[in-house]
Amino acid sequence: MAGNVTITYLNRNGGGFAERHTVPQGTTIKQFLAGREIDADNYTIRIVRGAQGGFTPTADEVLQEGDRLSCVPLKIEGAR
Amino acid sequence: MRLSKRKLMEVALSIRKRHFQNLLDEARQLRREVTAARRSRRRRAHLIQLARHYSLSYVLKKLKPEAMTLQPGNGGLPYITYDHRIMRSHLAMLKAQCREIHAEWKRIKAESVKPIAANLKTLLEETELVKESPLEVHWIVDNVEFDNVWIGDIEVTMNLEKFSVHAFNKSVDTDEKNGYQHPHVASDGHICWNGYDSDAQSYHMAGDFLAVKDMIDNLLRTYNPRSPYISLEDWENGTSTSCNECGERYSDDDLAYSERYGEYLCPNCRWLCEMCDDYVSEYDYDSDMNACKRCVEMESDICALCLERFWRRDLNSVEMLVVGKMETVPCCETCKEDYESRQESESNEKEENELEPERNDHADAESLLAPAVVLSTDTQ
């Protein structure tokens, strides 16, 4: 689709499957997460991008075709 | 240890293949469950039909609530039971899961292996390769601390071929922590995921190892006070417990619990009651009897003759005159023997005394009665 990019988003919705999202070209991480009510301060955010590998993006990082975005909560309570 | 580019690609391909295989297995399992659910639904419908045909109102009434069905019992008699597979919602959920797996299958088929290889490449940069077969990496979650309680550096090992994660504390002597490696890691290194493992497993299966690593790091840096293996207080002070007598802290192995008195006692403050085999404090211990005061009170008595205390099982009884009345009184073995021999000798003496007059008639009466016949001349 022209003007759009498709990314994979690991959202921890219980099923563990990754979701595909098509977003307008130029969408930043901040914009993407704001739409999902995710506060970046409370998550470990990573992008895995083709040849570049995995990295922690800045809020202004623009999403690219084929990105795999994962948001893992900082507080994960274990048990016994 | 490093992986060559070629090997990295091979591993990425094998992970992708494994992902396909797992999805296939899951889809097969779901199909079996759908078939079983449909069979259960058909069976129930048939049972209701039969019950209607033969006007079995009782059976109809019992089968009326949703998901109730009949099952053959052991003695051949059927019994009414609940079968969740009959629920329409159960079947709908299975179908939705099938659709989800199918969609995932299509998605990963359309994707190249590159994201998995990129994920793996970064993971290998952030961790250290331990083994190539099975592929295993490890890393350190350093300086873990909760509320100013230092937990230490935790070494995590993750198998990339199957979901297997272990964490071990590299900084502290975990023997003092009952072997626990972390408030949420058991002594064998298993992390208690508190339900997060299903997500971690799915990520692992799809080759999203960085997400799994982030989950592990974040879990090990989070303390859940509601359900730790070991509380922060115990982590800091050790798993020792205070002796209820002296208040000193001892390891659990050194303390003994008194069942009867409900307290923990250290080796210096406890005495073993030989009667009830329980430990007691000095206050509750009778050193003369080598037993607890409660046992002494319940199980012992005083010997009526020597006035010493004995266990009831060791006491005998004798019949004796007490304030002009014959009574059975407890007495110890020695006293009983003494008493009985004394009684016997007294009785013999008495018998002998009774025999004396008779003997006087025949024996040397003169010598025996001599003092009696010494009469004064006045009397004569």
Side-chain angles (χ1 to χ4, degrees):
Chain A
M1 206 184 294
N4 286 334
V5 292
T6 304
I7 65 154
T8 306
Y9 173 49
L10 309 183
N11 64 347
R12 282 204 59 253
N13 65 355
F17 291 130
E19 285 174 357
R20 299 301 183 279
H21 287 263
T22 303
V23 293
Q25 211 159 31
T27 304
T28 62
I29 291 284
K30 193 178 173 182
Q31 288 166 337
F32 182 82
L33 297 180
R36 278 147 197 86
E37 292 177 355
I38 286 185
D39 179 0
D41 291 342
N42 299 327
Y43 288 82
T44 303
I45 296 166
R46 276 204 208 238
I47 286 181
V48 176
R49 181 177 290 163
Q52 210 175 326
F55 64 97
T56 304
T58 60
D60 299 329
E61 182 72 36
V62 175
L63 290 168
Q64 292 183 18
E65 182 67 31
D67 278 354
R68 268 181 106 78
L69 172 67
S70 66
C71 295
V72 175
L74 285 177
K75 299 280 171 213
I76 297 185
E77 290 188 332
R80 62 177 170 181
Chain B
M1 205 186 288
R2 287 181 71 84
L3 273 190
S4 65
K5 213 171 175 183
R6 187 191 163 91
K7 177 74 181 169
L8 191 92
M9 215 45 156
E10 270 177 29
V11 172
L13 280 167
S14 74
I15 288 165
R16 190 166 184 256
K17 193 176 163 193
R18 183 194 68 190
H19 194 186
F20 275 126
Q21 187 59 48
N22 285 336
L23 284 177
L24 194 67
D25 291 344
E26 266 186 58
R28 279 182 186 148
Q29 177 61 29
L30 277 169
R31 270 204 295 274
R32 278 196 288 273
E33 284 178 33
V34 168
T35 309
R38 282 187 177 140
R39 196 182 300 127
S40 294
R41 288 175 65 80
R42 275 202 302 272
R43 190 170 168 277
R44 179 172 180 269
H46 184 58
L47 284 170
I48 290 172
Q49 213 174 9
L50 281 175
R52 280 196 188 125
H53 182 76
Y54 291 104
S55 304
L56 303 172
S57 56
Y58 176 77
V59 177
L60 271 174
K61 191 181 156 196
K62 290 286 177 186
L63 288 177
K64 200 176 176 187
E66 203 177 11
M68 297 307 285
T69 188
L70 282 175
Q71 290 290 347
N74 284 339
L77 284 172
Y79 65 94
I80 288 157
T81 184
Y82 175 83
D83 185 355
H84 73 284
R85 294 174 302 182
I86 294 167
M87 299 280 281
R88 197 185 293 273
S89 57
H90 176 71
L91 191 60
M93 183 194 75
L94 292 176
K95 283 179 177 175
Q97 283 179 357
C98 279
R99 279 195 298 274
E100 209 170 340
I101 286 180
H102 186 66
E104 178 75 359
W105 174 279
K106 276 173 73 177
R107 278 197 295 262
I108 60 168
K109 211 174 170 191
E111 273 177 4
S112 76
V113 75
K114 278 180 186 164
I116 298 175
N119 208 302
L120 201 55
K121 185 175 159 268
T122 311
L123 181 82
L124 291 172
E125 282 164 10
E126 290 185 10
T127 62
E128 200 179 317
L129 191 64
V130 186
K131 272 196 276 183
E132 276 198 43
S133 183
L135 203 61
E136 211 170 79
V137 293
H138 80 156
W139 71 93
I140 302 282
V141 182
D142 68 334
N143 207 18
V144 176
E145 190 180 316
F146 304 120
D147 298 332
N148 295 325
V149 176
W150 192 63
I151 306 297
D153 297 341
I154 313 290
E155 184 185 57
V156 182
T157 311
M158 180 163 73
N159 185 326
L160 303 187
E161 291 176 25
K162 63 170 187 167
F163 184 71
S164 170
V165 179
H166 289 89
F168 288 98
N169 197 310
K170 305 307 283 179
S171 310
V172 300
D173 178 8
T174 52
D175 284 350
E176 289 172 8
K177 325 287 180 197
N178 267 358
Y180 298 124
Q181 307 295 317
H182 174 281
H184 301 299
V185 180
S187 54
D188 59 0
H190 275 97
I191 296 172
C192 183
W193 291 85
N194 197 15
Y196 293 101
D197 50 337
S198 59
D199 283 339
Q201 260 176 338
S202 299
Y203 293 160
H204 187 278
M205 186 173 80
D208 287 311
F209 299 120
L210 289 172
V212 182
K213 181 179 177 285
D214 289 342
M215 283 186 79
I216 294 167
D217 288 355
N218 293 353
L219 189 148
L220 292 176
R221 291 199 186 278
T222 307
Y223 177 64
N224 175 8
R226 290 180 299 281
S227 185
Y229 280 116
I230 174 169
S231 68
L232 291 184
E233 190 191 349
D234 284 347
W235 185 276
E236 199 167 35
N237 301 323
T239 48
S240 59
T241 311
S242 297
C243 166
N244 289 116
E245 275 297 298
C246 64
E248 288 289 316
R249 293 188 81 89
Y250 286 86
S251 76
D252 289 350
D253 289 344
D254 289 335
L255 289 174
Y257 183 70
S258 167
E259 294 284 339
R260 188 170 266 191
Y261 295 92
E263 53 189 10
Y264 288 98
L265 298 166
C266 73
N268 299 327
C269 296
R270 68 177 178 239
W271 273 259
L272 181 68
C273 169
E274 288 177 0
M275 284 301 281
C276 62
D277 225 17
D278 196 6
Y279 285 105
V280 293
S281 66
E282 187 179 11
Y283 177 78
D284 293 310
Y285 190 70
D286 186 323
S287 52
D288 292 335
M289 298 295 285
N290 292 333
C292 71
K293 285 184 180 169
R294 202 181 292 188
C295 281
V296 170
E297 195 185 313
M298 306 281 286
E299 306 288 339
S300 73
D301 217 334
I302 304 277
C303 168
L305 299 175
C306 65
L307 300 181
E308 278 187 32
R309 190 171 280 279
F310 291 89
W311 294 116
R312 282 208 184 105
R313 65 183 179 205
D314 299 331
L315 280 175
N316 288 300
S317 60
V318 286
E319 291 267 331
M320 66 187 301
L321 205 59
V322 180
V323 202
K325 198 177 157 191
M326 283 305 276
E327 272 188 25
T328 306
V329 291
C331 81
C332 68
E333 189 65 40
T334 319
C335 289
K336 186 181 180 182
E337 277 173 19
D338 286 352
Y339 179 76
E340 282 175 350
S341 66
R342 207 163 52 238
Q343 287 290 94
E344 205 179 319
S345 61
E346 273 175 25
S347 145
N348 287 343
E349 210 173 297
K350 198 175 168 189
E351 235 172 67
E352 274 173 24
N353 286 343
E354 282 170 4
L355 289 173
E356 283 304 332
E358 202 180 327
R359 217 187 288 169
N360 286 346
D361 295 341
H362 308 288
D364 189 0
E366 197 180 337
S367 65
L368 281 167
L369 295 173
V373 292
V374 179
L375 299 170
S376 68
T377 47
D378 293 343
T379 315
Q380 273 182 333

